[in-house]
Amino acid sequence: MYKILKKEALSDVTKLMVVEAPQVARKAKPGQFVIVRVDEPGERIPLTIADYDPQAGTITLIFQEVGKSTMQMGTLEPGDELITVAGPLGHPTEIQNYGTAVCVGGGVGIAPAFPIARALKEAGNSVISIIGARNKSLLFWEDRMRTVSDELTVCTDDGSYGRKAVVTEPLKELLETRGKNSIARVWAIGPAIMMKFVAATTKPYNVPTIVSLNTIMIDGTGMCGGCRVVLDSGAQFVCVDGPEFDGHKVNWDILLSRLRFYVDQERVAVERWKHQCKLDSAVAGAGA
Amino acid sequence: MAKKIIPKKTPMPEQPPGERVKNFNEVPYGYTAEQAMAEAQRCLQCAKPLCMTGCPVNVNITGFLKLVADGDFRGAINIVKETNSLPAITGRVCPQEQQCEIVCALAKRFEPVAIGRLERFVADWEAAQVDLPIPQLRTLTGKKVAVVGSGPAGLTVAADLAKMGHHVTVFEALHEAGGVLVYGIPEFRLPKAIVRREVEYVCSLEVKLVKDFVVGRSATVDELLEEYDAVFLGSGAGLPWFLKIPGENLSGVYSANEYLTRSNLMKAYRFPEYDTPIARGRRVITIGGGNVAIDASRTALRLGAEESIIVYRRSRDEMPARAEEIHHAEEEGVQLMLLTTPVAIHGNENGHVKELECIKNELGEPDASGRRRPVPIKGSNFRIPADIVVIAIGQSPSPLIPKTTADLKTGEDGVVTTDNETGKASKKGVFAGGDVATGGATVILAMGQGKKAAKAIDEYLKTGQW
């Protein structure tokens, strides 16, 4: 069992948890993920490690409540326990001094972008970060990103905070004004559709672009192949071959289609969960 | 007095096909005490029993059958457990017809003794008793062994080494112990409560079980060797093979590993009570001819498929699946489409599977496996509508451990190279057995290798000789 030590609401639907998981914290590196389970009937949820402290034996997880499992996880409080935290899984990010690196974080993807930006900075890179979300309430960690970035642009789709833009706009300007040779590498972490467009934006400039994929997964150890992604060279498994890939080589249409495969079941599960929550609170209300 | 021979096995009651396709409960009910005694009395008690030599873990079969015939079930299970730590499992999933039963003296003219059913009976009998015997205390050696994987090979090594007095820690990547027994083999063939019971027995021998621990990531084999005197790799064959045909990555195309793991380990058949979903297709096509393909096709029926079709490239005679499993599947309504090779999967506008395109084959000359090779008939392409396609054509060991371990040699398909007799790998202190060392075999062969490795590990720990 893995105890939750701290919980913080980063937005209405984005939660941060610090979890006791010494065997993961000891080995974790930027770019890796864990598989989490909330309770016995629960599914195995892949979550990127947002931060880790080997001395304290803790990891930080940040998740957006988008489905039944993450909504349920959001109801847990410090002192509660997760029944599974397996990892660290996947390859760590290849950190070296590339020169100038750009980190793009979208929505909940800002969380995993942070340790990568920090490691790039520590390795001597000049780090330019762009973070964005649909609106102000979904943004978080602007301050943390600023501490590890030489430049930071914040944008929202609706203009409720920072610049009114999607992340690809400042990225394109950067590529135009700096010239492609001055930017060595781009990292993009966020919704699949955002990563697809970041890759499309950098492609004409030929700037290597690394995306961190969060596909549907079960075991996370290379056993089921449910997470497979199609690259130019054929299919690979996100859990063991990734989670980071060359964004210019990913077949985004297949990826997006596979991500939507269980959308009907997800809706059923969410409705059932909300109904259960209503019943629970009605019972609690009646008891009081 | 000459014994009167009863030519046929005592039948084992089972759920009727029409009923059982609607549930995930176990198909056979098992023998009653009377049925078990009657069946055990069919044994001729040969002076030189061949059945024992046919068993990869050398269970003293005539010994335990004698006691079952006499009604001494406690004595019988004790004999079985001397060499087999997982009898409730092997009694259910062993291919007895190719091992102990094929060499039974009765089998020349009649049906052999139902050894598997009797092994299952004594194991289930013991589980139903309240007063379980306390495992014998052993002299501790102070040596520590790490076992990677809690499948049939790992559990066997762990139990044997613990009985020899070594400290054993089993590392399991998933959240439940049992390996293929929990993620691969369906509930209706091997109830998970039985696997849990056998795992509890192994743990009762003071074996420590660490779950959620992915060796190669959570710690490498080299790191384990700093803390343990020996490491046994029993990590299985987890990497599923795909056909490498167009359309294979459409939504609705599953590896058998994924389809079965969702249903078995994650209990997706109970969605939404359990969170993990699984697609329930009207027409499910499974590709392959082994036991895994049969398991997937039978699972599909239980998930509500109106049609469950197995597509296999050779003929029925070449199917690697057990005859009994094929029989069960056909009884339930699974259709076999033989001499057929898939060449492409076609999707609809949403990227979902719509059709499987196949080509018909005829049988040619035998290939390296001794089975007649399928030869495609030119121009015989045709399409079958499908909602779900499950690919069950085999698997090989995951590359994770070899990739992260210095000096660990592997051969074809990433199989860890080992010495046949001892399970010794190329790296000092490392042993391997089961599918990681064979590429894909049976539960009982994995257990047999586990037994050999346990002996060799004990020897190595005592002498320090590699």
Side-chain angles (χ1 to χ4, degrees), chain A residues 2 23-24 26-27 32 37 39-44 68-69 72 83-92 216-230 234-235 237 239-242 254 257-262 264-266 268-269 272, chain B residues 173-176 183 196 210-214 216-220 223 237-240 242 244 247-259 261-262 265-266 271-280 350-353 387-388 391 398-400 403:
Chain A
Y2 307 85
Q23 89 198 14
V24 180
R26 199 165 48 87
K27 297 280 285 188
Q32 290 188 298
R37 227 162 40 108
D39 61 5
E40 197 44 52
E43 57 186 336
R44 293 172 66 92
K68 185 262 173 181
S69 298
Q72 186 183 359
I83 65 169
T84 297
V85 178
L89 300 169
H91 287 291
I216 293 171
M217 230 176 243
I218 309 181
D219 59 291
T221 66
M223 197 184 78
C224 80
C227 63
R228 60 197 190 277
V229 54
V230 181
F237 292 180
C239 65
V240 288
D241 301 318
I254 292 179
S257 155
R258 290 186 66 85
L259 278 172
R260 282 192 296 261
F261 187 51
Y262 294 103
D264 291 340
Q265 285 98 324
E266 278 163 18
V268 168
R272 194 171 175 271
Chain B
L174 295 174
H175 58 264
E176 196 164 335
Y183 75 72
R196 257 190 304 262
V210 180
K211 296 188 236 185
D212 309 327
F213 196 100
V214 185
R217 291 274 184 247
S218 307
T220 62
E223 286 165 331
L239 185 76
F242 287 90
K244 305 208 181 316
E248 200 164 33
N249 300 300
L250 289 165
S251 291
V253 181
Y254 287 102
S255 73
N257 269 5
E258 181 184 1
Y259 194 66
T261 300
R262 282 181 183 273
L265 177 72
M266 305 310 296
F271 177 89
E273 185 196 341
Y274 279 71
D275 289 342
T276 305
I278 192 164
R280 293 172 180 255
N350 298 322
H352 287 211
V353 173
D387 307 312
I388 306 287
I391 300 172
S398 157
L400 184 57
K403 264 191 194 165

Side-chain angles (χ1 to χ4, degrees), chain B residues 37 63-79 121-122 125:
Chain B
M37 286 166 70
F64 102 80
L65 290 190
K66 173 95 182 53
L67 295 183
V68 174
D70 294 346
D72 178 4
F73 306 140
R74 163 58 57 210
I77 183 65
N78 287 348
I79 288 183
F121 169 77
V122 290
W125 175 87

Side-chain angles (χ1 to χ4, degrees), chain B residues 178-221:
Chain B
V180 73
L181 306 171
V182 292
Y183 75 72
I185 302 177
E187 179 79 17
F188 55 84
R189 216 148 68 74
L190 179 62
K192 300 313 141 204
I194 286 165
V195 181
R196 257 190 304 262
R197 195 170 82 204
E198 303 277 49
V199 169
E200 274 165 26
Y201 165 70
V202 174
C203 290
S204 76
L205 303 167
E206 287 173 46
V207 167
K208 191 177 167 204
L209 176 64
V210 180
K211 296 188 236 185
D212 309 327
F213 196 100
V214 185
V215 172
R217 291 274 184 247
S218 307
T220 62
V221 170

